[in-house]
Amino acid sequence: MNRIAAVALAALVTMATLSVAVVGGAAGATQPSESNAMTAQNATADGYVGTHVAFETSSNSLVDYRVGGEEVFENVTVASQSDHQSRTGLGADAELSAVANLAGLGLEIDARSQTRADVATDGSASLSAHDTERGILTVDAGGEEQYVELNLSGESNASASEEDDRVLVETENRTGVLVVAGDGDVAVNENGDVTADLAGDSTLVFRSYADGERDDDAVEQERLIAEGTATAEVYADEVDGERVADVATYGHDTTVEASAEAEERLEMTVERAESEGKVVIVSVSEAALEAVGSAEDLAVTVDGEAAAEASSYGELEGGIGEEPRYMVTSSSEASAAADVLVAVDHFSERNVAVQSADDVEDGDGEDDSVPGFGATAALVAALLGIGARIRQ
């Protein structure tokens, strides 16, 4: 009995160590502790340097926003529409292309973690920079109407996309896309920079891709975001040997909690105040995918039941209101990373797991334990409260 107890104790210590590592990556996304705040590489009081994203701040702007080492924006500035119109005499019906030279709301970095930096403003707006391969930047208008101005770097240029509701920002090695989730618009202004008009509770979303990676799947994902069908994006990666997770939310009343993560499985709880189903995009980096083997090996369960695999975006969206469905795509031929799009048929709270198809076929999807560690691990995970609740 003593030997069994010793083995059990060792297992608990091992799982506690693993759980702390997961919490450092996931839980730090919204309310990082003092130690988590220091995990961002070379973070300073007025800036952020992560694995993929870096920027500085001034009193009223994000400055020198970089993705993959390339400067995309010299400045990102947010201003209340009413304040800007009052200051400049610009009418509410003026063309968006005429909006430029925003004074900007005061801002400061509110929280940092290994996977993101949150920036608060003097108004209702907030910004979040997500340290992902796509360099995701979101500007949430909050309850008030906002203008956002994004001044391009000397190496960037902007143009309207073929899809009309998006603006492309191209640098030497990347293509970025700006799209509004909710009510609003985005356009190239008279200075050759980019301006967005956001209604209350709308979000400006920036995603970028390395050369050749903005394929048809990326364009479809942007459409889902613009139409309000995809309301969250979960990013799973491995940094310095540790698994980390981050969540970017593109719609209000959506909560995603990365509740547990083992090598073979990424679990999350998706909750909405409204019952209408939505799509969650799960981006799995090449490093995080190695435990499974390939994109073709992935499958999805919702509330422990296997979701149906869709072969097209139309079929995927058809699952909303009908049955949970998923679709797996690879970001490019040159990368082993994958995107898993999960259409949740209805809400309010659903448990979603992305894992090896073999585990789903073996019935592991209905097991409440963390795969590979059993019931004891699940108990430790519950006691330690693994997870990050990201609310917007």
Side-chain angles (χ1 to χ4, degrees):
M1 290 294 292
N2 289 338
R3 182 179 180 182
I4 294 174
V7 171
L9 179 59
L12 288 172
V13 172
T14 301
M15 278 305 300
T17 303
L18 173 65
S19 300
V20 170
V22 174
V23 171
T30 46
Q31 296 178 337
S33 65
E34 183 177 354
S35 59
N36 279 338
M38 297 303 295
T39 60
Q41 302 171 16
N42 302 321
T44 63
D46 56 356
Y48 178 90
V49 179
T51 303
H52 307 286
V53 169
F55 67 88
E56 297 178 359
T57 61
S58 67
S59 61
N60 63 348
S61 297
L62 259 64
V63 180
D64 191 22
Y65 191 83
R66 295 176 177 267
V67 182
E70 281 194 299
E71 186 183 38
V72 181
F73 304 117
E74 284 188 352
N75 296 279
V76 179
T77 309
V78 184
S80 162
Q81 288 191 21
S82 59
D83 289 347
H84 182 73
Q85 290 162 4
S86 175
R87 181 176 67 86
T88 63
L90 186 71
D93 57 350
E95 292 289 332
L96 183 57
S97 59
V99 176
N101 304 316
L102 300 183
L105 296 168
L107 56 79
E108 63 179 354
I109 296 180
D110 185 49
R112 296 182 185 85
S113 77
Q114 192 173 12
T115 59
R116 68 190 281 170
D118 295 324
V119 179
T121 73
D122 289 344
S124 67
S126 60
L127 303 87
S128 293
H130 300 268
D131 190 27
T132 72
E133 291 177 342
R134 290 192 175 124
I136 296 172
L137 174 67
T138 59
V139 183
D140 185 342
E144 301 175 0
E145 297 179 337
Q146 312 285 354
Y147 285 130
V148 185
E149 185 176 14
L150 304 104
N151 300 110
L152 304 186
S153 72
E155 304 300 321
S156 303
N157 63 83
S159 61
S161 70
E162 295 179 357
E163 296 78 26
D164 294 331
D165 59 353
R166 284 156 249 185
V167 167
L168 302 181
V169 177
E170 296 180 295
T171 61
E172 182 177 356
N173 298 306
R174 303 190 70 84
T175 298
V177 178
L178 287 154
V179 60
V180 175
D183 295 327
D185 198 6
V186 59
V188 180
N189 66 24
E190 57 191 18
N191 294 334
D193 296 313
V194 182
T195 305
D197 168 4
L198 301 179
D201 296 332
S202 295
T203 302
L204 177 67
V205 179
F206 171 76
R207 301 165 99 220
S208 71
Y209 316 88
D211 279 349
E213 289 192 350
R214 188 178 182 257
D215 53 15
D216 292 342
D217 289 314
V219 173
E220 284 295 307
Q221 291 179 27
E222 295 159 13
R223 175 184 64 81
L224 294 175
I225 294 169
E227 293 176 352
T229 303
T231 56
E233 182 166 353
V234 180
Y235 178 72
D237 196 5
E238 185 170 309
V239 179
D240 296 331
E242 294 183 6
R243 288 300 178 83
V244 296
D246 180 59
V247 180
T249 53
Y250 304 142
H252 284 256
D253 298 325
T254 298
T255 301
V256 178
E257 179 182 344
S259 58
E261 189 178 0
E263 287 189 357
E264 306 92 340
R265 183 169 176 164
L266 172 65
E267 299 177 357
M268 65 203 80
T269 300
V270 186
E271 185 177 0
R272 277 178 54 82
E274 299 179 4
S275 62
E276 181 187 6
K278 294 291 181 181
V279 170
V280 175
I281 302 170
V282 183
S283 297
V284 186
S285 74
E286 183 173 349
L289 193 58
E290 287 181 356
V292 176
S294 69
E296 290 74 16
D297 294 327
L298 295 175
V300 172
T301 61
V302 177
D303 292 340
E305 299 291 335
E309 186 170 9
S311 59
S312 68
Y313 285 88
E315 191 175 308
L316 175 77
E317 293 174 79
I320 296 175
E322 296 293 331
E323 63 177 358
R325 297 178 186 174
Y326 76 97
M327 186 169 72
V328 181
T329 68
S330 296
S331 57
S332 73
E333 294 181 359
S335 173
D339 291 331
V340 184
L341 287 84
V342 183
V344 182
D345 52 341
H346 65 81
F347 288 99
S348 56
E349 181 176 297
R350 310 298 296 275
N351 297 314
V352 178
V354 178
Q355 61 196 324
S356 167
D358 291 338
D359 291 339
V360 174
E361 292 172 0
D362 292 340
D364 291 347
E366 298 185 20
D367 188 351
D368 290 333
S369 64
V370 179
F373 298 99
T376 300
L379 175 60
V380 175
L383 291 174
L384 292 178
I386 294 177
R389 180 166 295 272
I390 291 135
R391 293 187 179 276
Q392 297 230 1

